[in-house]
Amino acid sequence: MEPFVYSSAPSRVIFGFGCLGQLPAEIARLNLNAPLLFTTPEQAAEADRLAASLSGSNVNVTVAGKFTKAIMHTPIHITEEALQFARSSQADCIVSIGGGSTIGLGKAISIRTGLPHICIPTTYAGSEMTPILGETTEGRKTTRSDPKILPGTVLYDVDLTLSLPAALSATSGVNAIAHAVEALYSKNTNPIINLLAVEGISALADSLPHVVEDPTAQTDIGRRARERALYGAWLCGHCLGSVGMGLHHKLCHTLGGSFNLPHAETHTVVLPHALSYNAPALKKETLVKIANALPDSDGNAVIGLNVLLTRLQVKRGLKEFGMKEEDVDKAADIACQAQYPNPRGLEREKIREVIRRCWAGEEAKTDL
Ligand code: NAD
């Protein structure tokens, strides 16, 4: 075993079907009583339901307001509007209910105001488990990390994921798997994170095909799958929040930021190719751990990911999301500019080939 540093996330996690009902008690436990609710326009009805249930609860909670304009990539103009709204309210805490976009806005307001942040995630993206905030100003995304950004309490209510469409469930789940895969070969990985990463990959890889088959959990198998997928997403999110990420996350950041590609879908396309690039530089035991966590991998981690993506029937090419072939070179240039720890050094022509394969939607091979 190599020497390591492990920082346990201070977040309190409440998990299970229907656990949203514990929110009033949780707010009271924190000696708070005036939550400001955040979500996206698409999930405004969810915020309405939450406000109604908080008002009807038997603890002393008064909803201070609802802000339902969260969008992808936390653009600064939305943050400024939300900040003004928060300052003009009597809020003493923030409750964000939604995916990474909503939680990003909650983090942005929490760090600016000092208001405590309670998260209710409804996708598998994992932002609720990280001290990281990405924000966009004039089309440029910058990321910062601060322990104060990490939300204090997270309620994982499985019921709230039943409305997540099958396609987004699949890609969001693979987005989560990517956190765990990169955590296993992170420069600052550690034995605890290794355990969580393997368990997280395995929980998601087992459950996602059943989630896609029965997204609204009409059957017992579907219900168990939704539960296991959210559990896996929590563990993978914890990996993302605990150790540094490598080529896969940097590539997705570049592709998403520069070519306006959708977050979860881009992660899904890139993951097998990024792993295939890094594979020759990884310890054999790391690859074995990933392969063993993926059903029908035949002992090969890249094959395991290919099998999973085929089962999930996800789109495999970035061109399907509007990326142009001439962007491949541009993306390779940007991806090779930044220097960051990655198991394998960045070789411009090979990185270009990774991006070309992602663009074309080719199946990942093990020959890079
Ligand atoms: P998202 O939050 O943008 O959600 C996508 C859409 O699905 C939205 O319209 C949303 O309202 C809707 N939705 C979410 N949950 C739903 C549900 N259960 N039922 C029905 N509709 C639902 O997508 P995402 O992939 O969760 O988040 C992506 C964003 O999060 C990106 O901006 C990314 O950079 C950020 N992110 C940040 C971190 C971090 O640590 N800072 C980690 C992961 C993602």
Side-chain angles (χ1 to χ4, degrees):
M1 193 181 288
E2 290 176 19
F4 63 86
V5 173
Y6 173 69
S7 307
S8 173
S11 308
R12 175 172 153 93
V13 170
I14 301 173
F15 185 97
F17 282 99
C19 73
L20 190 57
Q22 296 179 47
L23 180 62
E26 181 60 16
I27 293 173
R29 192 189 70 86
L30 295 165
N31 285 326
L32 301 166
N33 59 28
L36 176 59
L37 312 186
F38 282 153
T39 196
T40 58
E42 295 81 12
Q43 290 180 282
E46 207 63 77
D48 290 342
R49 271 193 292 277
L50 185 55
S53 82
L54 284 170
S55 305
S57 72
N58 56 4
V59 291
N60 174 27
V61 176
T62 309
V63 174
K66 283 175 282 175
F67 185 88
T68 59
K69 295 186 190 171
I71 53 171
M72 189 94 91
H73 303 312
T74 332
I76 206 80
H77 69 278
I78 298 283
T79 298
E80 278 163 4
E81 198 183 326
L83 188 59
Q84 218 173 12
F85 187 74
R87 287 198 170 131
S88 67
S89 76
Q90 301 295 314
D92 64 5
C93 63
I94 293 163
V95 172
S96 40
I97 180 161
S101 298
T102 296
I103 292 167
L105 180 64
K107 287 174 165 178
I109 303 306
S110 171
I111 189 74
R112 282 168 173 80
T113 57
L115 292 174
H117 186 194
I118 299 172
C119 282
I120 306 166
T122 62
T123 68
Y124 303 134
S127 177
E128 67 282 354
M129 280 293 128
T130 83
I132 306 160
L133 170 62
E135 299 184 278
T136 317
T137 318
E138 287 162 13
R140 260 196 70 234
K141 191 162 182 175
T142 51
T143 301
R144 58 174 154 149
S145 181
D146 184 326
K148 291 199 280 295
I149 291 173
L150 187 71
T153 299
V154 180
L155 279 97
Y156 285 107
D157 186 336
V158 189
D159 282 318
L160 296 174
T161 62
L162 305 190
S163 54
L164 193 63
L168 186 51
S169 301
T171 53
S172 192
V174 178
N175 180 193
I177 290 177
H179 308 329
V181 166
E182 290 229 290
L184 282 167
Y185 55 67
S186 172
K187 198 162 177 269
N188 55 346
T189 196
N190 61 64
I192 308 296
I193 286 302
N194 273 242
L195 292 172
L196 299 181
V198 169
E199 175 74 358
I201 297 170
S202 168
L204 280 156
D206 287 347
S207 60
L208 287 176
H210 299 296
V211 166
V212 167
E213 248 171 59
D214 181 13
T216 55
Q218 298 300 311
T219 61
D220 269 357
I221 293 177
R223 252 179 100 69
R224 275 202 303 278
R226 273 296 190 191
E227 187 177 44
R228 202 157 152 68
L230 193 57
Y231 162 72
W234 162 39
L235 300 182
C236 293
H238 188 60
C239 293
L240 174 69
S242 302
V243 297
M245 297 286 114
L247 174 72
H248 168 82
H249 281 74
K250 305 295 173 192
L251 260 186
C252 292
H253 186 89
T254 298
L255 291 163
S258 309
F259 309 106
N260 198 27
L261 296 170
H263 178 80
E265 292 83 346
T266 303
H267 272 267
T268 301
V269 169
V270 172
L271 183 59
H273 297 282
L275 182 61
S276 121
Y277 178 85
N278 273 333
L282 298 184
K283 287 184 191 154
K284 192 163 177 277
E285 65 187 71
T286 304
L287 284 165
V288 168
K289 276 182 190 164
I290 301 170
N292 287 348
L294 294 165
D296 302 318
S297 66
D298 207 13
N300 183 305
V302 175
I303 291 174
L305 287 174
N306 281 336
V307 169
L308 178 64
L309 298 201
T310 303
R311 274 192 190 141
L312 298 178
Q313 297 171 32
V314 288
K315 291 183 181 164
R316 303 293 287 271
L318 295 178
K319 64 181 179 186
E320 297 179 63
F321 300 104
M323 186 177 173
K324 302 197 176 61
E325 191 168 10
E326 55 265 33
D327 292 337
V328 170
D329 271 306
K330 207 168 138 195
D333 287 340
I334 305 172
C336 292
Q337 269 163 17
Q339 288 304 312
Y340 49 85
N342 187 61
R344 182 172 174 183
L346 301 184
E347 300 165 37
R348 165 71 174 69
E349 278 321 293
K350 293 208 159 123
I351 295 289
R352 188 198 181 279
E353 177 59 7
V354 165
I355 298 171
R356 190 201 62 74
R357 289 179 185 185
C358 292
W359 169 80
E362 291 171 14
E363 184 142 287
K365 302 190 185 82
T366 45
D367 62 351
L368 270 161

